[in-house]
Amino acid sequence: MNYRLGVLGFLAQAALDSEGHERGNYGLMDQQFALKWVQKNIKAFGGNPKKVTMFGESAGGQSVYCNLASPTAKRLFGGAIAESGSYTNFQNYFPAIVPIETAETTDGFAPSGSSVAISVGCSSQTAACLRAVSAATLVGVEAGVLYPFVDGKLLTKTPTAAFTSGKFNKVPVIAGTNHDEYRFFVAGEYDLAGNPILTSGEYAAAVAALWTTALESNVLGLYPYASYPSGDLALAASGTDGVFSCPARNADRLLSKFVKTYAYEFNDENAPPGTVAGVTFPLGAFHAAEIQYLMLVTGAVFPFTTDQQALSDAMIGYWTQFAKTLNPNSADEPAWPNYSAATDEFQSLVPPTPMIESNFTTFHHCDSFWNKF
């Protein structure tokens, strides 16, 4: 579905929020409007309103987590698939989703609503001034990733708090991350910007930029420059673990107490395209690499090896079987166990044949490091 993005989709601003309508999470409102339309009309297309699976990747994966936590999304879907949507949620070191009142005036992960208004010439902070600003101008002032807000209606608490309390939309879930998520972001921010991380000093500065000075020394201690082929890969390792892998595992541990949860890690280290001109390191199983194994995507289409095609077929089988039965297992693919904190088993989506992995937290330093903050 289409939904409003960036500042147009996620803006906490006092004048707008005082008008009496739903506040801030306009992009999520659009998603729920579309899901309501599906509930109303799916029978006309031969569908079953009780068998709707919501499925998203990256920001879409975060949207899946938010809709799971949203009281206003109740009964709009019967299953949920969240791919690489954890970002820095489900952990204690960075608060990403904050109360809307905080986001109106306090700069955090993203500029506050008052800062956005000033940046587009509305120091008056009036709704009339903001509505006179062009969409192109608003898009032009966006800075980095934006997050939803705890607005009191669509989100009454953070996804972390909702999953912890058990007060969320209890449906079966597939959720997971990719083995080398953050290489994608390092490639874009450093190498493709003409600034590969070539020295220990540059690496320390990059760590401070990502993890702030509060965590810099800890991260440098666990991911030392000398232990990696390059500073880029060292930074990518910490970003993969602390931004994606360990937060996602925390979500699995919370969800699995209440609903069937099927956890995965996408592990094709040779996922196409593999290397990119201008990037000094292999991308590995990078952020969004798994999408091409599930569906056709726009842009370049890369050929699969025979083993990669077998993995693609298995993944499509899991995802579609889940949509049909709310369980990814069938006689056609290797068994995928329910996740539980006791066994801590993930389905490793590796070519040619998926298999169970049991060393996720060890490899990604979850219990030994990231979950201690």
Side-chain angles (χ1 to χ4, degrees):
M1 71 219 18
N2 288 327
Y3 63 95
R4 283 170 282 182
L5 303 173
V7 172
L8 298 174
F10 299 91
L11 177 64
Q13 199 277 334
L16 295 174
D17 293 342
S18 66
E19 292 178 331
H21 50 67
E22 290 187 64
R23 306 179 296 165
N25 292 315
Y26 306 110
L28 294 176
M29 295 175 206
D30 293 346
Q31 294 171 18
Q32 293 185 8
F33 184 87
L35 287 166
K36 290 173 183 175
W37 189 95
V38 170
Q39 287 294 310
K40 182 178 179 181
N41 293 283
I42 192 171
K43 286 184 178 179
F45 296 88
N48 184 342
K50 294 182 180 179
K51 289 191 173 182
V52 174
T53 292
M54 179 175 52
F55 164 23
E57 186 271 344
S58 194
Q62 183 174 106
S63 293
V64 169
Y65 285 129
C66 287
N67 280 296
L68 281 167
S70 173
T72 53
K74 187 176 182 179
R75 289 190 290 271
L76 294 183
F77 53 92
I81 303 175
E83 298 176 28
S84 303
S86 51
Y87 285 88
T88 50
N89 296 300
F90 313 113
Q91 44 67 33
N92 293 322
Y93 32 95
F94 289 145
I97 298 178
V98 299
I100 195 166
E101 293 80 7
T102 300
E104 288 174 351
T105 58
T106 305
D107 293 339
F109 266 56
S112 65
S114 59
S115 294
V116 171
I118 291 170
S119 69
V120 296
C122 291
S123 56
S124 63
Q125 300 293 328
T126 65
C129 182
L130 283 167
R131 287 199 170 95
V133 176
S134 70
T137 299
L138 285 167
V139 170
V141 301
E142 289 173 11
V145 177
L146 302 183
Y147 289 83
F149 319 101
V150 177
D151 65 284
K153 183 174 181 180
L154 191 146
L155 281 179
T156 56
K157 55 185 69 176
T158 66
T160 304
F163 297 170
T164 300
S165 67
K167 295 181 179 178
F168 63 94
N169 298 308
K170 295 185 180 67
V171 301
V173 174
I174 287 176
T177 55
N178 297 354
H179 189 272
D180 307 300
E181 292 272 8
Y182 215 76
R183 291 189 189 186
F184 174 90
F185 300 95
V186 174
E189 186 174 353
Y190 290 94
D191 286 49
L192 294 177
N195 298 304
I197 304 169
L198 300 177
T199 69
S200 59
E202 291 172 347
Y203 174 57
V207 168
L210 175 59
W211 293 113
T212 76
T213 54
L215 295 184
E216 178 186 1
S217 62
N218 300 88
V219 172
L220 289 173
L222 185 61
Y223 304 86
Y225 178 80
S227 295
Y228 291 84
S230 71
D232 299 270
L233 289 174
L235 184 67
S238 72
T240 293
D241 295 356
V243 177
F244 287 101
S245 299
C246 297
R249 176 175 173 267
N250 289 340
D252 297 334
R253 292 165 72 87
L254 295 173
L255 289 166
S256 63
K257 294 178 181 179
F258 302 98
V259 299
K260 288 185 177 180
T261 303
Y262 300 92
Y264 74 84
E265 182 173 48
F266 177 77
N267 280 320
D268 187 357
E269 292 292 304
N270 297 303
T275 58
V276 173
V279 178
T280 59
F281 53 90
L283 291 175
F286 60 94
H287 184 71
E290 87 289 358
I291 298 176
Q292 61 193 313
Y293 289 70
L294 292 165
M295 63 183 70
L296 292 175
V297 294
T298 58
V301 177
F302 302 100
F304 283 162
T305 66
T306 301
D307 285 352
Q308 288 172 332
Q309 187 60 58
L311 174 60
S312 174
D313 293 343
M315 290 172 61
I316 291 170
Y318 285 140
W319 264 239
T320 54
Q321 184 69 13
F322 181 84
K324 293 175 186 176
T325 67
L326 300 179
N327 184 327
N329 288 289
S330 70
D332 299 326
E333 309 300 343
W336 185 344
N338 293 339
Y339 179 85
S340 74
T343 58
D344 204 27
E345 292 180 341
F346 288 68
Q347 195 75 340
S348 175
L349 301 178
V350 60
T353 307
M355 62 183 68
I356 295 171
E357 65 172 302
S358 302
N359 64 344
F360 185 94
T361 184
T362 302
F363 183 88
H364 293 292
H365 307 292
C366 299
D367 290 340
S368 62
F369 185 76
W370 292 104
N371 288 341
K372 290 187 174 182
F373 292 106

